[in-house]
Amino acid sequence: MDAAAALPEAWSQVRAPVIVPLLRLAVAVCLTMSVLLFLERMYMAVVIAGVRLLRFRPDRRYRCDPLPEDDPELGSAAFPVVLVQIPMFNEREVYQLSIGAVCGLSWPADRLVVQVLDDSTDEMIKEMVRLECERWGRKGINITYQIREDRKGYKAGALRAGMKHAYVRECEYVVIFDADFQPDPDFLKRTIPYLVHNPEIALVQARWRFVNADECLMTRMQEMSLDYHFTVEQEVSSSVCAFFGFNGTAGVWRISAINEAGGWKDRTTVEDMDLAIRASLKGWKFVYLGDVQVKSELPSTFKAFRFQQHRWSCGPANLFRKMLMEIVTNKKVTIWKKIHVIYNFFLIRKIIAHIITFSFYCLVIPATIFVPEVRIPKWGCIYIPSAITLMNSVGTPRSFHLLFFWVAFENVMSLHRTKATLIGLLEAGRANEWVVTAKLGSAMKMKAANKAGLRKQFMRIWERLHVTELGVAAFLFSCGWYDFAYGRDHFFIYLFFQSVAFFIVGIGYVGTIVPQS
């Protein structure tokens, strides 16, 4: 009883000299980061508007004439030899889709080499993939099935091992498709000409198109975020300085550029971004083709999506830590390109964007409710966030009505992204954790559609609980009630809505729920 009675007095003693100054400092830092993020979004909005108005398309900036298909003298020799790599890991549900799509590419058979790089640990799946490769081999496709003794280096290690074969020396370009990607037959004919006619280009990146975007609300939210990335971020970076992060798949590389940059490295979980930055520092240029789209699948279970976001947030932060001085001391690129890579690409998009979302909207704003001496200006908590949200919506106009749900879901995921970013910056224990993003494929979706028994579903509830999200939900809900009772800024409207989002994710009712067999 004495301890409980002493709490209010202790709070009053530390509030004015400690809590208030610290909270004001946190608000100032968050407002500064919000302004920086807003200016970055405005900059990209202006550039993308100029690109569209001036029709500054890749085919107007670079030569991309089709390769001659009817040359009687050259024949198929008019086409360069292209290597296609398909890295896999226990891809039971989707391996046939990617192998079939790649083997259906419209390219002379004697100028196409397909590698299926299988790191699967399931012997049954390995046999299924091997038989599928043999089936296409009997149809005249030059396809090889390759396995390794261990998974050292994960995807980077598999790609690096595939490049060591003698026959790769005859190949000029390499295309990479993850196991769930399905290119159209004309993919090579639309991308390779940029590399053939422009020797300064090292990478041609295509856009992803999502076949399961309408599967559930979580996949719609992912589509909105990724569409902005491709529609705006990649387009702007390609147009302004011919540099952007390689997306790891659906891209064509010049093999000589890979070799000059030092090949694939497995020092982080973003081997694709690592290679892109090293190649850019060598002076190579990249081209993004937004009109060339490759079908792919979004992770539709929350567990798979959470692991993917950890890798995508932790990896860039860790790479920034390891490459900062290499970028600063580089002599081959201009100071403006260095600023773009360090400030725009890394600091704003990969670090500040994650940290500000969770720290400001899920911690600092709710905390100010208990300390009314600390006020947040409306432009910082309403106008700037609203403007950023509206600018993010341009990538997916059909989902504009889902903006409120997207904001709530992004704030929930910012918890994991912030944690992953800090782990990457500090190079903590999970900095190099690699978990392959599981894809369900059409077969598993049919199974998931069948309802499991009530007992099984009840048992799975406990497996789906996420304690951290439930804790944040309780915090926001309590802040909302306090603001409803004593506040004057009406933050409780947002806090109640956001707490419900955290609660729904916390009890696992998000994404596709696959019944246990």
Side-chain angles (χ1 to χ4, degrees), residues 125-373:
I125 296 177
K126 291 171 73 172
E127 182 65 14
M128 293 164 60
V129 176
R130 185 185 66 80
L131 292 175
E132 181 70 8
C133 293
E134 290 182 354
R135 185 173 74 86
W136 282 103
R138 289 192 293 270
K139 294 183 178 182
I141 302 298
N142 184 4
I143 183 171
T144 61
Y145 173 74
Q146 298 178 14
I147 59 175
R148 299 188 293 161
E149 294 182 358
D150 57 55
R151 292 187 63 216
K152 182 179 180 181
Y154 302 107
K155 181 179 176 180
L159 297 172
R160 184 171 57 236
M163 298 290 288
K164 291 181 179 180
H165 295 275
Y167 59 81
V168 175
R169 298 171 190 162
E170 302 177 5
C171 304
E172 297 181 55
Y173 312 108
V174 57
V175 192
I176 301 166
F177 293 113
D178 283 350
D180 59 301
F181 277 69
Q182 307 164 53
D184 291 335
D186 63 349
F187 177 86
L188 294 179
K189 291 184 177 180
R190 299 179 67 185
T191 55
I192 293 293
Y194 284 91
L195 293 162
V196 171
H197 299 306
N198 304 277
E200 73 276 16
I201 294 178
L203 167 67
V204 176
Q205 174 70 59
R207 180 175 174 172
W208 301 357
R209 186 171 79 247
F210 311 110
V211 298
N212 66 330
D214 294 324
E215 182 177 338
C216 60
L217 187 59
M218 190 184 79
T219 53
R220 286 290 291 272
M221 302 297 100
Q222 294 178 65
E223 181 193 37
M224 294 175 68
S225 299
L226 289 171
D227 277 354
Y228 177 81
H229 167 69
F230 284 106
T231 304
V232 179
E233 290 182 347
Q234 296 293 71
E235 188 75 59
V236 167
S237 297
S238 176
S239 302
V240 172
C241 61
F243 164 79
F244 49 83
F246 174 42
N247 293 119
T249 179
V252 189
W253 275 95
R254 188 184 302 273
I255 292 180
S256 60
I258 294 179
N259 294 333
E260 183 183 350
W264 294 102
K265 293 186 178 181
D266 55 17
R267 55 182 173 176
T268 68
T269 57
V270 284
E271 73 293 324
D272 43 13
M273 186 182 297
D274 189 343
L275 175 61
I277 292 175
R278 284 185 282 113
S280 178
L281 293 179
K282 294 291 184 179
W284 290 98
K285 294 182 178 181
F286 304 160
V287 176
Y288 168 71
L289 302 180
D291 58 338
V292 179
Q293 302 183 8
V294 181
K295 291 184 289 185
S296 63
E297 182 179 331
L298 293 163
S300 56
T301 66
F302 182 67
K303 180 179 179 181
F305 181 57
R306 188 180 61 191
F307 278 125
Q308 181 199 67
Q309 293 303 296
H310 174 87
R311 191 172 75 247
W312 285 5
S313 302
C314 178
N318 192 232
L319 183 63
F320 178 66
R321 170 194 173 107
K322 293 178 177 178
M323 290 200 69
L324 176 60
M325 293 310 300
E326 184 179 345
I327 297 170
V328 171
T329 58
N330 183 272
K331 304 296 183 181
K332 289 190 175 181
V333 297
T334 65
I335 184 64
W336 299 113
K337 193 165 189 177
K338 292 180 184 181
I339 292 174
H340 174 81
V341 175
I342 294 174
Y343 177 77
N344 300 85
F345 182 76
F346 271 120
L347 192 61
I348 299 296
R349 302 179 197 173
K350 307 301 181 185
I351 297 177
I352 286 180
H354 298 325
I355 294 177
I356 183 63
T357 305
F358 180 71
S359 61
F360 192 35
Y361 304 118
C362 299
L363 292 180
V364 174
I365 289 179
T368 59
I369 291 172
F370 300 106
V371 187
E373 296 95 325

Side-chain angles (χ1 to χ4, degrees), residues 484-510:
F484 179 76
Y486 305 106
R488 50 186 176 180
D489 292 321
H490 299 93
F491 283 147
F492 66 86
I493 300 173
Y494 157 73
L495 293 171
F496 285 152
F497 184 70
Q498 189 62 63
S499 67
V500 170
F502 270 100
F503 178 77
I504 292 174
V505 175
I507 61 176
Y509 277 92
V510 62

Side-chain angles (χ1 to χ4, degrees), residues 411-459:
N411 287 346
V412 173
M413 291 310 303
S414 69
L415 164 66
H416 299 282
R417 292 174 183 143
T418 299
K419 181 172 67 174
T421 300
L422 294 177
I423 288 174
L425 286 173
L426 301 175
E427 204 160 20
R430 294 179 60 198
N432 293 312
E433 180 185 59
W434 180 283
V435 178
V436 176
T437 305
K439 303 295 173 63
L440 296 183
S442 57
M444 280 300 293
K445 289 169 192 170
M446 293 176 63
K447 295 177 186 177
N450 299 323
K451 293 183 179 179
L454 181 61
R455 180 177 175 81
K456 285 186 178 180
Q457 289 297 314
F458 179 76
M459 294 297 291

